[in-house]
Amino acid sequence: MTVDHVRGVVVDIEEPKTVNTQYGESDLCEVTIRPDRRSGEPTTVTLWGKWTENAEVIETGMEIAVYNPDEREYQGEQQYSVGGDATLVVQPDFLVDVTDIRAWVQCPRMYYLRKLDGADHAYPLVKGTVVHEVFGDLLRGRDLDTAIEEQVDAAGLDIGLLGREADEVAGDVRDHASAIQGWLRQGTLTETDGAATAADNSERDFSPAESEWRSEMTLISERFGMKGRADAVRRGMPVELKTGKNTKREPRFQDKIQATAYALMLGERAAGAGSAVEAAPDTGTLLYTKNAAVDRNEESGDLSPAKEFSIGSGLLNYVVRTRNAIAAMEYDSGVPTGYEANAKCEYCFEQDTCMAVSGRLDQESKAGTVGRAVPDEELDYFESFYTAIEAERRAVHREYAKLWEQTPEERADNDRALIDLEPIGRTELDGGRWELRATGTGAVSKIREGNLVLASDGDPVTGNAELARVERLGNEAPRASDSGNGNAVAEEIVVTADEPLDLRRLDVYPSELTTDRLQNALHDAVLLQSPEQKDVLFGRREPEFNAVEETFIDNNEAQNEAVQLAVGAEDFALVHGPPGTGKTYTLARMVRALVEGSKTPSERASGERSDPRDGGDRVLLSAFTNRAVDNLLEALEDQGYTDIVRVGTESGVREDMQKYRLETSGDPGECAGRLQNAQVVAATTATCGGSTLQTQDFDTAVVDEAGQLTEPGTLAATTLADRFVLVGDHQQLPPVVQSEDETLSTSLFERLIDAHPDAGVMLDRQYRMAQHIQAFASREFYDGQLRPATGEVAAQRLDDLDGVSTSRLPEGLRDRVAFVDPGGSQVGNTNPTEADRIAEIVASYRSAGVPADDIGVIAPYRAQVAEISKRLPDVTVDTVDRFQGSSKEVIVISFVATGTLDSPIFEDYRRINVALTRAKKALVLVGDGDALATDEVYGRMVEWARG
DNA sequence: TCTCTGCGTAGAGGA
């Protein structure tokens, strides 16, 4: 029997050796694996020829897979060898980007520098991007002039930030685009059978046949652990557009490698279970548009920018071996050592960065080093965070595995996808995008409106798949066919995408963007910040403050002190804001004080005031979520401050804050000017880590909800400013971290507040909860220091609401805090009996006159949230995590668990702190009293609630 | 094995 592949964990590797075979001398290396699909008997895999190069980087413990192996039985044992048509894949679960393979081929150092340093804002990049967009438009049959005009307009902000003019860029783009168009016409001519003439191929009727061309194809390979996006595919063959100059006759090697990688993945799609190498297209095309642009201007002969090259098994396997080298190097996810370089450094444009990074990290490098190494504690810090971020990257890679799960059980368990959708239509939108519609089954998934998803015709890996944005996940009335079971709700699903397809499945698109930005923030903070700025981060110096006498808020001492501290801070200030303490109001007041203040803290301390337009701080306002950023803007607006620019995506920014949103398209000077002249810039931390805001700097960064941010996440904002203010509550939810690594789960806010308690102020008066509701949280989480701000706050009750009478409530719900044990039992992550009871409880409050809008239901699991929502369509029902930051008059909490509390969700007590402190006037806990009593803290909570 | 938001995706070029 032959198998299409073997896969397993490496348990032993022999030294490579050279042997004589019937074909002459050959290298071989024997690797022993413990296969994961067999009984666990060790199996020998022999690597032949060039595959032995990979043997040098393979370590025991790594996983390898061999496709189409030569198989033979030797002394009763199955043996496999990699040579001929077989392919070796090292660490198949580590997904390597095609552009990373390209970088590695240039120089392995380049691969690491890209990862650490991120992209800079450079004209060739912006121009290249615009040309690529125009290329895509031409393939979609659009008119050249319109395409250029629109795409240059779309890049307005980037062009403006580089100080360029639209006309100038349009001219440059036209040179490239004309070359493409000329070549496209030429191609159409030679391939159109006889009849066509040059005249027939006028601009007007030129339109590449749909079947022949496919632009911008997303490719994800399970088999090769590789992903990327091809510029275009023509008759199944990859076409890559290069806007750089290449004066050589031959295509550049790294460009060939890039196109070959796409060819390999196209081969995998074509091959089915067969050999991807054999099925791969045999030709690749590289379009060097600058050559043609130069030729045209010089009126020299060759107008064709295209260089074709043949793709053979040698090149395809080289791509796989390079990919393997990267995956193996990433196995221990260590900081690059500096020894990776194997290219010529002499002409390298990254030489300066390369030497600087090596110098800072105290490494040797072939290119040499500059600068002094950062202190040991910083090296340790860098290393531990680098490793932790890479562990997060691994977690993202594991999410990709969901894309190729195929068994019905796996698919049913997959809450990262919406499957079995029924396509109901598509519409072409302005600008060439498509709106795709389908009806869904109402299944529970992580996918939400606004998310970026992979939309497909049913199979996201081998089928037709496109990145898409979820526009609507609306519920409709149940379809007639669903009326029997009563709980399946058909929903209309609307997405937008670049290309049309039959919408049958949506998958969460696992993006490494966050990990990339965290890595960049770490690099910027440790390797680029000045030693003085880093002193306070590494505990070498206490943060300094100037005394500020001015009163900013006159009815709340702690709030006033917080603003004074922030205004007087030379390095940083910390504001600890427990639930309902007016954190957002204080923050807005603080931002106004910073903006109005004079330039230096010492000047501020002496009370001098200069013209706010040129004297005040330039402030960066940031938070982890778009919602938190928009809440801050709302508070600023409420206080009459509107000199704000909000940077972010259209789908991320709340409707009423769109008026502040920075337009990224339009007149370059206007776009850039708006950003550059803004006194207050607001954006999520992820956006702060992006290239747009990297062009900006600020006097003060103010970061809200800082307790929810990882340390590098916070640094993405703080590295853009001279000093920073962190506002948050480390007794509420910590950052969400997917990997086991604990390094990222403590926020910078928490670390600094522990290390420098004097640099922080705790807001201790809360304006939200009745006395009895806040009592438990105050005692358990805030040392009893959290108090109601006024007697009115303390004494508030439901009867205060118009038309509400608690006398109409059942006995057990009349107290401000109640506990209900409905019986029932946990089913998966739901508890239907509890959901029923919660629906009854909510109905009681409704009968007593409480509007639906004043009631909120909180559950630990999404599945239970869905269960309750079905019964209460008019009431806000959500997870604890998503309820953080808001509040309701009445809160009902579902605990789901029965018997024991063994789910990890109950381990972090901060989650219950958040849930309990959402209520203003009434709080009902619904759960299994016995299960809750098994834990000390939950036990005390039940005691308190039973009152 | 539970919580989950971000980001125009990835790639755009320089010598």
Side-chain angles (χ1 to χ4, degrees), chain A residues 401-433:
Chain A
K402 296 282 180 192
L403 296 178
W404 36 78
E405 284 183 346
Q406 285 304 330
T407 70
E409 299 78 37
E410 285 173 335
R411 289 171 48 144
D413 276 353
N414 182 359
D415 65 353
R416 303 183 55 84
L418 288 170
I419 59 172
D420 299 331
L421 311 181
E422 199 59 49
I424 52 173
R426 57 170 77 151
T427 313
E428 188 166 9
L429 305 171
D430 290 343
R433 275 177 73 83

Side-chain angles (χ1 to χ4, degrees), chain A residues 116-366:
Chain A
L116 294 177
D117 199 13
D120 46 351
H121 209 81
Y123 181 57
L125 293 184
V126 172
K127 185 178 71 181
T129 306
V130 175
V131 174
H132 275 76
E133 294 294 332
V134 170
F135 177 49
D137 282 351
L138 289 176
L139 294 185
R140 291 181 204 104
R142 303 189 76 200
D143 168 67
L144 178 71
D145 292 322
T146 319
I148 292 175
E149 194 184 323
E150 283 186 15
Q151 299 299 351
V152 168
D153 189 75
L157 176 63
D158 284 332
I159 294 167
L161 289 173
L162 289 161
R164 306 255 175 173
E165 302 284 341
D167 289 349
E168 173 196 358
V169 179
D172 287 352
V173 169
R174 180 173 301 277
D175 287 343
H176 291 267
S178 307
I180 297 167
Q181 201 184 36
W183 177 74
L184 284 173
R185 287 210 193 107
Q186 208 178 35
T188 320
L189 252 186
T190 52
E191 279 143 23
T192 307
D193 194 15
T197 65
D200 292 332
N201 279 281
S202 65
E203 202 167 301
R204 189 171 42 80
D205 57 21
F206 166 74
S207 173
E210 212 178 285
S211 56
E212 190 173 314
W213 280 96
R214 173 83 153 73
S215 87
E216 297 185 10
M217 191 166 184
T218 299
L219 296 161
I220 303 169
S221 167
E222 174 190 11
R223 190 183 297 189
F224 298 107
M226 214 189 270
K227 61 185 160 83
R229 194 171 194 197
D231 282 343
V233 177
R234 181 197 187 204
R235 294 178 172 171
M237 294 181 283
V239 179
E240 275 301 298
L241 180 61
K242 294 292 162 196
T243 51
K245 165 169 70 188
N246 175 21
T247 49
K248 304 261 167 56
R249 177 166 293 175
E250 271 284 293
R252 279 178 301 209
F253 186 60
Q254 63 264 31
D255 298 339
K256 282 166 55 170
I257 290 303
Q258 185 179 3
T260 305
Y262 298 131
L264 184 67
M265 291 194 278
L266 290 167
E268 181 187 0
R269 284 166 165 246
S275 163
V277 171
E278 274 176 31
D282 61 5
T283 308
T285 306
L286 290 159
L287 278 178
Y288 290 101
T289 55
K290 196 163 185 174
N291 296 355
V294 170
D295 283 348
R296 183 180 298 257
N297 293 339
E298 290 171 358
E299 289 184 30
S300 66
D302 182 17
L303 269 178
S304 177
K307 293 183 192 293
E308 294 195 336
F309 69 100
S310 59
I311 298 173
S313 64
L315 208 53
L316 291 160
N317 285 330
Y318 179 86
V319 167
V320 179
R321 289 199 305 275
T322 308
R323 181 254 159 234
N324 287 344
I326 295 172
M329 202 68 116
E330 292 285 5
Y331 177 67
D332 65 0
S333 67
V335 175
T337 61
Y339 288 103
E340 296 90 0
N342 64 2
K344 281 196 191 109
C345 305
E346 203 178 347
Y347 303 114
C348 179
F349 40 82
E350 292 284 24
Q351 192 175 9
D352 289 348
T353 318
C354 187
M355 294 194 299
V357 168
S358 299
R360 288 272 185 246
L361 290 178
D362 201 18
Q363 301 166 332
E364 287 180 30
S365 123
K366 193 181 169 201

Side-chain angles (χ1 to χ4, degrees), chain A residues 808-820:
Chain A
R808 278 182 270 161
L809 283 171
E811 188 103 16
L813 296 178
R814 286 187 198 158
D815 290 342
R816 289 198 181 84
V817 183
F819 183 82
V820 175

Side-chain angles (χ1 to χ4, degrees), chain A residues 819 821 899-901 927-935 942 946:
Chain A
F819 183 82
D821 188 337
T900 57
L901 293 181
D928 176 358
D930 294 338
L932 292 166
T934 59
D935 177 279
V942 173
R946 282 187 165 136

Side-chain angles (χ1 to χ4, degrees), chain A residues 583-868:
Chain A
K583 186 170 60 83
T584 311
Y585 170 84
T586 311
L587 244 159
R589 184 66 193 89
M590 180 193 297
V591 170
R592 281 171 49 220
L594 289 166
V595 166
E596 287 161 9
S598 33
K599 192 73 185 172
T600 67
S602 55
E603 280 171 357
R604 276 199 297 265
S606 65
E608 286 171 27
R609 282 283 177 277
S610 47
D611 177 12
R613 288 305 325 173
D614 55 44
D617 275 9
R618 183 166 200 238
V619 176
L620 173 67
L621 212 52
S622 194
F624 180 51
T625 63
N626 276 309
R627 192 169 60 167
V629 172
D630 288 335
N631 282 344
L632 272 175
L633 293 192
E634 190 181 350
L636 269 175
E637 205 176 41
D638 285 347
Q639 294 182 21
Y641 188 86
T642 56
D643 187 4
I644 302 162
V645 165
R646 171 77 161 92
V647 184
T649 58
E650 194 179 351
S651 63
V653 177
R654 208 168 71 193
E655 191 57 44
D656 58 331
M657 295 299 149
Q658 291 285 342
K659 57 180 180 283
Y660 300 119
R661 197 173 76 85
L662 179 66
E663 244 340 301
T664 54
S665 58
D667 179 74
E670 276 174 34
C671 289
R674 246 194 104 199
L675 176 61
Q676 284 153 344
N677 298 325
Q679 193 81 23
V680 173
V681 174
T684 60
T685 48
T687 300
C688 289
S691 62
T692 301
L693 285 181
Q694 294 296 316
T695 64
Q696 303 294 299
D697 49 59
F698 300 89
D699 299 302
T700 307
V702 176
V703 184
D704 195 12
E705 307 276 15
Q708 276 187 77
L709 278 164
T710 62
E711 191 153 329
T714 318
L715 294 173
T718 61
T719 51
L720 299 178
D722 296 336
R723 59 183 163 272
F724 59 87
V725 182
L726 304 184
V727 186
D729 183 5
H730 50 295
Q731 297 299 340
Q732 294 186 58
L733 291 171
V736 175
V737 176
Q738 300 190 74
S739 65
E740 307 273 300
D741 197 309
E742 289 287 307
T743 315
L744 290 168
S745 37
T746 306
S747 63
L748 178 64
F749 176 76
E750 184 172 0
R751 177 166 80 81
L752 290 179
I753 216 160
D754 286 347
H756 308 283
D758 293 344
V761 179
M762 173 172 147
L763 308 181
D764 54 0
R765 302 297 164 113
Q766 63 85 11
Y767 297 84
R768 177 183 297 162
M769 299 161 273
Q771 173 92 48
H772 188 44
I773 292 176
Q774 66 123 66
F776 179 77
S778 178
R779 198 168 61 223
E780 292 285 334
F781 301 103
Y782 303 104
D783 292 330
Q785 299 212 26
L786 184 61
R787 280 163 292 175
T790 64
E792 226 167 88
V793 170
Q796 62 180 313
R797 48 204 296 260
L798 275 180
D799 299 86
D800 300 345
L801 297 174
D802 277 350
V804 177
S805 168
T806 47
S807 62
R808 278 182 270 161
L809 283 171
E811 188 103 16
L813 296 178
R814 286 187 198 158
D815 290 342
R816 289 198 181 84
V817 183
F819 183 82
V820 175
D821 188 337
S825 56
Q826 179 169 354
V827 183
N829 286 330
T830 69
N831 186 329
T833 313
E834 206 170 280
D836 289 340
R837 190 58 181 277
I838 284 168
E840 287 166 26
I841 292 168
V842 169
S844 301
Y845 280 105
R846 299 280 287 111
S847 317
V850 182
D853 200 36
D854 283 336
I855 305 173
V857 182
I858 300 178
Y861 309 109
R862 262 186 297 113
Q864 178 74 346
V865 166
E867 196 71 28
I868 299 169

Side-chain angles (χ1 to χ4, degrees), chain A residues 895-916:
Chain A
F895 286 91
V896 182
T898 52
T900 57
L901 293 181
D902 56 6
S903 166
I905 199 139
F906 292 106
E907 277 169 20
D908 197 330
Y909 297 126
R910 289 176 284 191
R911 189 164 271 113
I912 194 63
N913 180 33
V914 173
L916 298 175

